[in-house]
Amino acid sequence: MFIFIVIIKIIFTMKKIVSIVIISLFFVQFSLAQRDKIITEESKIPVYQLPDILTRFNGSKVKSEKTWFKKQRPEIMGKFTEEVYGKVPGHLKISEVKVWETSDNALQGTAIRKQLSLYFKKGINTLEVNILMYLPKSATKVPVFLGYNFNGNHSVNSDSAIRLTESWVENDPSMGYINNRVTEQSRGLSADNWPVSEIIKAGYGLVTVYYGDIDPDKNDFSDGIQPFFYKAGQAKPNPDEWGSIAAWAWGLSRVMDYLETDKLVDAKKVAVLGHSRLGKAALWAGANDQRFAIVISNESGCGGAALSKRIFGETVERINTVFPHWFCDNFKKYNAKEDLLPVDQHMLLAAIAPRPLYVASAEGDQWADPKGEFLSAKYASDVYVLLGLKGLPVKEMPEVNHPVMGTIGYHIRSGKHDLTEYDWQQYLKFADMHFKKN
Ligand code: GTR
């Protein structure tokens, strides 16, 4: 009889355990499914509240230019550094510059081509950053666009003189990327993204670098620039230290260090530009480094120009899961908890003020949340207005292919996620507006 009671008790407890397990599994599945749902309709966006850009974290109001620059801006930048992108753990100067070649007979004799490497050295570590420049033949220093490329400098133009990148690339046999190295097959492959002749004709230079030279785009912190700063026994950045985006942004500033020494370039007129993940890097570089005179975000989306708290398209959780190395580890605290973020991306855009800023979206790129990118630029405008500038000249989102340009510019073009000639035409116009006004 006793044994019988024990058996019944065991079955009962087992059932309880099994049901608890089943119920919890159900809830885990349910919440994962909920969080995985990507919102692509405006009506599905939950109610959200954005931090007011002109209210300080202590609740007081920002009413003067002085309070913005001395208090609010540094506090905002502090939050982005600690919670989103991560801090750069030290300083490193260029150790050596090696100019490979300068030709004044490039692009059918219309341009100067210059190729050089920057070397960074610390302890046993060395990093080589290869720069490709095309400059108009001009008697004076020229304004330039500086932007990372995705596929190596040689992909930007079919010019056979461009050195092939020797850095790590993701394998892709369709592009001829084998054993993580490029081949001739990818020469000129991204030429559509880089209308060099048009840029030169408009009087600007193009300065470009393969982003993988700074930090290969993979979840591995044993390569790239991060290990230069590790303490003994450290294998990855601390939770408040830089992910890849902050590393790429750091690299843009180091290229700027070089440009300040190049007699062919007007370093006071450098427009930093980036597409997508590289747009996120361009924004973070532009916010940190006031030497960039214009900042351009091409479809930078989540963690770039788009508001995170709208949770439209790509979310914080999704980006931190698919690209765990892009942001600092602290950012993961906000996975599916965007409401807890002390900042949102309109505050990053505002940190660029008073310098001209351009935000571009594409209709076919809902993943990057065009409306969220527009609203971000619109709310950032409050700071430009505080500083006596025009900011964004419209309150409502403009029609597709109808760019608007004040101190902040914005367009949404037809087509997909890409950096196109149309985008460049607007950036050239915007640069003319701000660089050639005197
Ligand atoms: C996507 C990512 C975006 C954007 C894009 C890109 O997969 O979700 O945030 O950065 O890649 O860089 O092309």
Side-chain angles (χ1 to χ4, degrees), residues 150 275-278 280 299-302 314 319 322-323 326 367 417:
F150 277 90
H275 170 60
S276 208
R277 68 197 69 181
L278 301 178
K280 305 180 213 291
E299 299 155 31
S300 59
C302 180
E314 188 171 30
I319 205 165
V322 180
F323 306 103
W326 280 5
W367 187 240
H417 185 64

Side-chain angles (χ1 to χ4, degrees), residues 140-419:
T140 55
K141 287 168 167 264
V142 294
V144 297
F145 288 88
L146 163 63
Y148 280 124
N149 60 72
F150 277 90
N151 297 310
N153 293 348
H154 65 284
S155 68
V156 163
N157 194 276
S158 56
D159 183 345
S160 62
I162 306 175
R163 302 170 65 236
L164 286 186
T165 180
E166 288 169 12
S167 296
W168 179 94
V169 290
E170 180 126 6
N171 280 337
D172 184 344
S174 72
M175 309 225 283
Y177 293 179
I178 294 150
N179 297 328
N180 300 115
R181 291 289 176 269
V182 301
T183 57
E184 270 295 330
Q185 199 183 320
S186 49
R187 188 176 294 283
L189 204 86
S190 313
D192 287 350
N193 305 130
W194 304 97
V196 188
S197 299
E198 252 188 88
I199 297 170
I200 298 287
K201 234 182 262 155
Y204 294 89
L206 173 68
V207 180
T208 188
V209 172
Y210 170 50
Y211 79 131
D213 280 7
I214 304 288
D215 185 20
D217 193 357
K218 55 186 156 112
N219 187 19
D220 170 0
F221 285 109
S222 66
D223 53 15
I225 188 65
Q226 285 95 350
F228 283 59
F229 297 97
Y230 290 162
K231 309 246 157 52
Q234 193 178 358
K236 61 180 289 222
N238 290 325
D240 64 345
E241 288 177 347
W242 52 356
S244 294
I245 291 174
W248 298 326
W250 173 89
L252 290 167
S253 286
R254 301 294 70 79
V255 175
M256 183 57 151
D257 294 345
Y258 166 74
L259 293 177
E260 288 188 314
T261 69
D262 194 312
K263 292 192 176 59
L264 301 174
V265 170
D266 183 350
K268 297 257 177 295
K269 291 184 177 161
V270 177
V272 65
L273 149 149
H275 170 60
S276 208
R277 68 197 69 181
L278 301 178
K280 305 180 213 291
L283 286 174
W284 186 231
N288 274 292
D289 192 334
Q290 315 245 7
R291 293 174 300 172
F292 292 116
I294 292 182
V295 182
I296 301 169
S297 150
N298 195 78
E299 299 155 31
S300 59
C302 180
L307 294 172
S308 300
K309 290 175 195 276
R310 270 169 55 84
I311 327 179
F312 186 101
E314 188 171 30
T315 62
V316 170
E317 179 172 47
R318 174 73 185 231
I319 205 165
N320 278 334
T321 309
V322 180
F323 306 103
H325 56 293
W326 280 5
F327 298 88
C328 70
D329 269 352
N330 275 347
F331 195 41
K332 299 190 173 84
K333 290 192 295 197
Y334 304 99
N335 284 356
K337 292 194 183 110
E338 285 86 349
D339 52 324
L340 298 183
L341 267 170
V343 285
D344 209 330
Q345 301 305 112
H346 61 308
M347 298 163 111
L348 175 68
L349 300 189
I352 289 157
R355 291 160 296 150
L357 159 74
Y358 201 108
V359 173
S361 313
E363 197 183 15
D365 184 20
Q366 293 300 313
W367 187 240
D369 186 14
K371 177 94 184 273
E373 295 189 313
F374 170 77
L375 289 175
S376 195
K378 171 175 155 170
Y379 300 136
S381 243
D382 290 351
V383 171
Y384 284 79
V385 170
L386 177 79
L387 305 181
L389 298 163
K390 182 112 180 107
L392 195 65
V394 294
K395 296 249 176 301
E396 298 301 323
M397 197 157 164
E399 304 269 294
V400 172
N401 299 331
H402 281 78
V404 291
M405 297 185 198
T407 316
I408 303 181
Y410 177 82
H411 74 247
I412 174 165
R413 64 155 170 77
S414 47
K416 63 178 179 59
H417 185 64
D418 202 359
L419 172 60

Side-chain angles (χ1 to χ4, degrees), residues 75-89:
E75 283 167 16
I76 288 175
M77 287 301 286
K79 298 273 186 223
F80 275 111
T81 304
E82 278 162 38
E83 305 293 321
V84 183
Y85 302 100
K87 63 178 186 227
V88 179

